[in-house]
Amino acid sequence: MTRPRQIGLWAALVAITVTVAHLPSFLHRLLDGDEAVYGSIAALMNTGGQLYGSGGVDNKPPGIFWVYAATFQAAGTYQMTAIHAVGLAVIAATCVVVYMIGRDVAGGRTGLLAALFYGVLTAAGNPRLLAANTELFMMLPLTASVLLMLRRRWLWSGLLLVAAGAFRQVAAVNVILAAFAIFWLEPAEFRWRATARFAGGAAAGLAAGAFALLMTGSLAGFWRWTVGSLYGYASTTWIPSYVWERAKDSIVPFVVDMAVLWISAIAIATRWRRLEVKDRLVVAWLVVAMVGSIVAGHLSWHYFIQAMGPLALAAALFFERFSLRRWVVSVAALGIALPAAGWWAFDLTADPLTYDFSIPTVPQHQSVAAYIHDHTTPGQRVFVWGNWPALYVESDRLMASRFPGFLRGFARGSGLPPDNWDTTPDVWPALRSDLEAHPPALIVDTAAAGWSDFSSYPMSNYPVLADLVASRYHEVATIEGVVIYAPNSP
């Protein structure tokens, strides 16, 4: 068999493996509450609302909402299977770019192995890891930016770094990697020129993004919610008990379950003095990516997708650079495959929104969503109090306000004052305006059931909601502890 045919065969096997690893994402409508946030906002945007305004508010950059909105326009509102298909396509494309980096650094075999590792890493975890989240989409342009760094295409590398930032702000940490790349790859007399080109590409990307936001009427809101809210968002996360609560469900299993890849990457890093420049850049990328993954303090598993690209490459370099006995390779393969298979089985059967895999009947949130769907019409809107935007998607109903949830990213139940980026003083006049413009056909109070640790934040604590319910609504049902209100008769 000729070498091109061999590479093609191995590439096909990698593609099949990665596809099978991600199959559980097609068995659930929602894989994460974040998908519901993006979906509910995208649905509002497609009615003509402005992102970061009447079309929905979040603290993420616009890229993810543009992708969801475009997908819904093509496939239909709340068509999450289409979203998951787009996500898998992005994973596949990122695997191709990872392969290209590995091939440029150490050859085609390294590239194929790195692509396989990345495809498995992004599936070997809880359902949130499989979700069509910001990190998944960020990694395609971010990885392409690194590829172009290695090829000294500085202008395009800077442009693609900004494109990655359109999905998640922490892509910006790769500016540090660019500084290392320019220093290591360029002769001294060309470093300023390379820096200028990289900065020029980044500036062009920022200008294009600002123009797109301006043309869609979203620029001022973008600054308010994705830039202005960063400090408030981060300041509520570095609480030791809260960090540990997140870490034990994310970084700990990420490191332990994929210990083979981490050991391999660390083994490569220990040979720093003997590594070639491009090998060093891969190791430096892993360090920078881990900083980006943890800097916000939330430590959800999908945050570490940012580190999975360089981790896959560093581990693949280990298997290329070190001569290993066949039995060692076999044990390493099992050490990767068994945890991945275990998570695959869990993700097939577990409810992604509650992680319950022993549900005898319909999950509680689906029962509430079914009630909402059956007691409203497609043209009516609803309002959910709490942090359960999944109810909008599962009931196929639009939000009555621009806010898909409240106290998002906050240590709910910690006893801290509920001062969050999405409960600031300017939130409540906007909420009142939304609810007057689009009176909800139902108000759904998940705090009454204590969902998402919201029992400490009843509607009665918030005058806008307390006054609205007291004057215009009455209780009509209690489903799984969730209290539902309907408008009073004229």
Side-chain angles (χ1 to χ4, degrees), residues 93-106:
T94 308
C95 285
V96 171
V97 181
V98 169
Y99 161 77
M100 295 171 72
I101 294 175
R103 183 191 61 188
D104 286 6
V105 172

Side-chain angles (χ1 to χ4, degrees), residues 59-288:
N59 60 3
K60 303 295 191 301
I64 191 72
F65 305 106
W66 290 342
V67 169
Y68 271 62
T71 304
F72 287 169
Q73 286 182 335
T77 302
Y78 294 142
Q79 290 299 319
M80 298 306 298
T81 299
I83 292 290
H84 296 155
V86 171
L88 181 57
V90 170
I91 286 284
T94 308
C95 285
V96 171
V97 181
V98 169
Y99 161 77
M100 295 171 72
I101 294 175
R103 183 191 61 188
D104 286 6
V105 172
R109 184 171 61 181
T110 300
L112 286 171
L113 199 56
L116 175 63
F117 288 163
Y118 180 77
V120 171
L121 275 166
T122 50
N126 61 33
R128 299 192 74 179
L129 185 61
L130 289 164
N133 226 313
T134 53
E135 295 80 9
L136 181 153
F137 289 99
M138 174 189 71
M139 279 302 290
L140 179 54
L142 191 64
T143 305
S145 173
V146 174
L147 173 64
L148 293 173
M149 283 183 199
L150 293 168
R151 295 181 176 182
R152 299 163 61 194
R153 303 285 296 275
W154 305 112
L155 178 72
W156 292 105
S157 179
L159 180 65
L160 284 168
L161 178 56
V162 173
F167 291 97
R168 190 161 175 79
Q169 297 97 323
V170 291
V173 298
N174 267 35
V175 170
I176 300 171
L177 184 66
F180 282 114
I182 291 171
F183 182 79
W184 286 336
L185 295 174
E186 290 288 349
E189 62 271 22
F190 296 135
R191 286 172 187 160
W192 282 113
R193 184 176 69 181
T195 301
R197 288 180 174 174
F198 183 86
L206 289 171
F211 181 75
L213 288 167
L214 181 64
M215 294 303 293
T216 56
S218 304
L219 185 57
F222 166 80
W223 189 263
R224 164 63 182 88
W225 294 107
T226 73
V227 180
S229 68
L230 280 178
Y231 172 76
Y233 180 70
S235 64
T236 61
T237 61
W238 285 104
I239 301 166
S241 60
Y242 185 54
V243 171
W244 171 241
E245 187 68 25
R246 290 293 187 99
K248 70 181 183 181
D249 292 330
S250 58
I251 191 170
V252 172
F254 171 44
V255 172
V256 172
D257 291 353
M258 290 293 121
V260 169
L261 299 184
W262 279 106
I263 291 169
S264 303
I266 292 169
I268 277 290
T270 60
R271 302 184 65 183
W272 180 264
R273 292 182 179 275
R274 288 175 286 175
L275 293 180
E276 298 177 5
V277 168
K278 290 184 177 180
D279 294 0
R280 289 186 178 187
L281 273 174
V282 169
V283 175
W285 184 17
L286 177 57
V287 174
V288 167

